[in-house]
Amino acid sequence: MAKPTTPRPSRAKAKGANPASADHNRPRPDTPSVYKASKEELMEFYRQMVLIRRFEEKAGQLYGLGLIGGFCHLYIGQEAVAVGIQSALQPGKDSVITGYRDHGHMLAYGIDPKVIMAELTGREAGISRGKGGSMHMFSVEHRFFGGHGIVGAQVSLGAGLGFAHKYNDDGGVCVAYFGDGAANQGQVYESFNMAELWKLPIIFVIENNQYAMGTSVNRSSAEDQLYRRGESFRIPGLQVDGMDVLAVRGATEEALKWVQGGNGPILLEMKTYRYRGHSMSDPAKYRSREEVQAMREKSDPIEGAKKYLTEMGVGEDELKKVDQDIRKIVSDSADFAETSPEPEMSELYTDVLVEQY
């Protein structure tokens, strides 16, 4: 007869944890509240989302004209995720890493639209000197570490960034974004395991736009409630309305409180939606026009923010002025990109290695 095992004692109460909501005696983060933004804050969120939307629309136009080569993945529809999360981060202190749908994250982090558009068109003035293109942008200054073309690879690198924050004791947090398709990659779970074992200050963000490269998450994932994916590693998860910038910001505040309290990683599943195909070459025939239109009409993040602003007393003229200003910024960035020179041929041999060997 097998010897009965002694029940495993529950862990000590974590900082900021809510014992009443504990699952299997594990501490959990508090349930997030919708962020109470001031009118000025919400206007800035609205401005940033409109900037991402108009920038991506222009990028799509330039791709159609042949001025952008290779792959190009647009962020249209997902603007509330990047803006809501990155508005809560501290530039220069916290670090961000993402996959190849990266233009929106860079814009939300305050990086100049001109150098992003110049990179898309392969120009010397681009943020990666024209050699990274749409999928491989990088900015050490802004602690934005890419832009990665390999599905899910950025998650392991994000764990490394989290380790660096902890090792250097700099108070920073890493935010590692990945999609619902990447959520099925093996290296994601190796990263989860290490992050929890070492209590790394990292927020794993799943941007669940429902279709990965073209297959519904319900058909491709046995567990399609992706916020639960960290449970076997004792990583708590929260599911968030990724189409509402204030819900995203509120959940980010709670995630930061959890991570900065020394509790280790947390997982945020952002339920969002992309209006365009996976990339510019994707006709998106796996879903109906009616489905996309319904999402635009009922859940559009920009229209949602506009509704909040209207309730705060912001007039239509003020909102139109924001859109006009943004269109000018985007037009100027396109003109800058189109008139900037391409890199010299000698640039092929620079920045290949960090040092000489």
Side-chain angles (χ1 to χ4, degrees):
M1 180 175 177
K3 183 180 178 180
T5 57
T6 303
R8 182 174 181 175
S10 62
R11 294 186 174 186
K13 180 181 176 184
K15 299 174 186 175
N18 179 4
S21 63
D23 179 20
H24 303 300
N25 294 320
R26 299 181 203 169
R28 305 281 302 182
D30 292 329
T31 301
S33 302
V34 172
Y35 183 68
K36 292 179 172 58
S38 66
K39 185 167 74 171
E40 292 72 23
E41 283 180 303
L42 189 53
M43 278 295 289
E44 180 58 20
F45 297 165
Y46 177 78
R47 191 196 72 79
Q48 289 182 25
M49 289 194 292
V50 172
L51 173 61
I52 294 171
R53 178 73 58 89
R54 300 293 173 250
F55 183 95
E56 294 290 65
E57 288 170 349
K58 177 61 73 173
Q61 292 173 9
L62 296 184
Y63 188 93
L65 293 170
L67 293 170
I68 296 174
F71 291 100
C72 184
H73 305 81
L74 303 182
Y75 203 63
I76 297 173
Q78 299 181 212
E79 296 90 352
V81 177
V83 172
I85 290 176
Q86 293 182 206
S87 66
L89 303 183
Q90 295 187 52
K93 180 179 179 182
D94 299 321
S95 56
V96 171
I97 191 166
T98 188
Y100 39 75
R101 200 180 304 277
D102 56 357
H103 320 152
H105 299 95
M106 301 187 77
L107 289 166
Y109 225 153
I111 298 175
D112 187 352
K114 289 183 178 180
V115 300
I116 302 174
M117 195 69 86
E119 187 60 39
L120 288 174
T121 54
R123 307 303 170 120
E124 169 69 27
I127 198 162
S128 295
R129 303 181 76 173
K131 297 188 290 184
S134 172
M135 299 167 66
H136 301 98
M137 300 195 200
F138 201 93
S139 174
V140 175
E141 176 190 355
H142 291 84
R143 300 191 66 79
F144 181 86
F145 295 96
H148 292 269
I150 304 300
V151 176
Q154 73 275 16
V155 181
S156 299
L157 296 172
L161 291 168
F163 181 83
H165 284 304
K166 183 165 186 174
Y167 184 84
N168 294 323
D169 194 24
D170 59 15
V173 171
C174 174
V175 176
Y177 295 89
F178 56 108
D180 49 296
N184 291 323
Q185 291 286 322
Q187 70 264 33
V188 170
Y189 300 95
E190 297 177 62
S191 303
F192 282 0
N193 191 50
M194 286 188 287
E196 175 59 23
L197 280 173
W198 297 337
K199 296 294 183 187
L200 301 183
I202 181 169
I203 300 172
F204 295 109
V205 178
I206 302 177
E207 295 195 74
N208 182 4
N209 63 24
Q210 318 295 321
Y211 285 99
M213 285 185 67
T215 303
S216 165
V217 66
N218 309 111
R219 292 179 57 215
S220 61
S221 298
E223 175 54 275
D224 60 5
Q225 301 302 299
L226 302 183
Y227 72 98
R228 297 174 178 166
R229 289 295 186 93
E231 288 293 341
S232 62
F233 302 96
R234 295 180 176 268
I235 299 175
L238 299 170
Q239 191 175 67
V240 185
D241 180 0
M243 304 298 274
D244 183 336
V245 69
L246 298 183
V248 174
R249 175 62 185 265
T252 307
E253 297 272 345
E254 195 57 48
L256 286 168
K257 188 195 306 180
W258 175 265
V259 172
Q260 291 169 342
N263 301 309
I266 190 171
L267 192 156
L268 299 179
E269 179 194 1
M270 296 290 166
K271 295 294 292 287
T272 185
Y273 197 83
R274 56 173 169 78
Y275 296 161
R276 300 290 185 93
H278 172 69
S279 70
M280 287 297 296
S281 59
D282 172 20
K285 292 182 179 179
Y286 40 81
R287 60 186 182 181
S288 67
R289 291 177 182 269
E290 290 74 20
E291 178 184 313
V292 179
Q293 187 59 33
M295 287 296 295
R296 281 185 176 272
E297 291 174 358
K298 297 176 183 178
S299 303
D300 185 77
I302 293 174
E303 291 301 315
K306 187 184 290 187
K307 182 180 177 182
Y308 284 136
L309 286 166
T310 302
E311 290 170 357
M312 288 179 170
V314 177
E316 187 66 29
D317 289 346
E318 195 171 350
L319 296 174
K320 284 182 179 178
K321 178 68 165 57
V322 171
D323 195 60
Q324 290 170 356
D325 292 344
I326 292 300
R327 288 181 184 276
K328 176 70 164 57
I329 290 170
V330 170
S331 177
D332 288 347
S333 71
D335 291 343
F336 176 79
E338 290 182 53
T339 56
S340 294
E342 294 184 353
E344 297 290 336
M345 289 298 291
S346 60
E347 278 294 321
L348 283 170
Y349 306 102
T350 63
D351 304 322
V352 177
L353 297 173
V354 175
E355 300 175 17
Q356 294 294 322
Y357 291 93

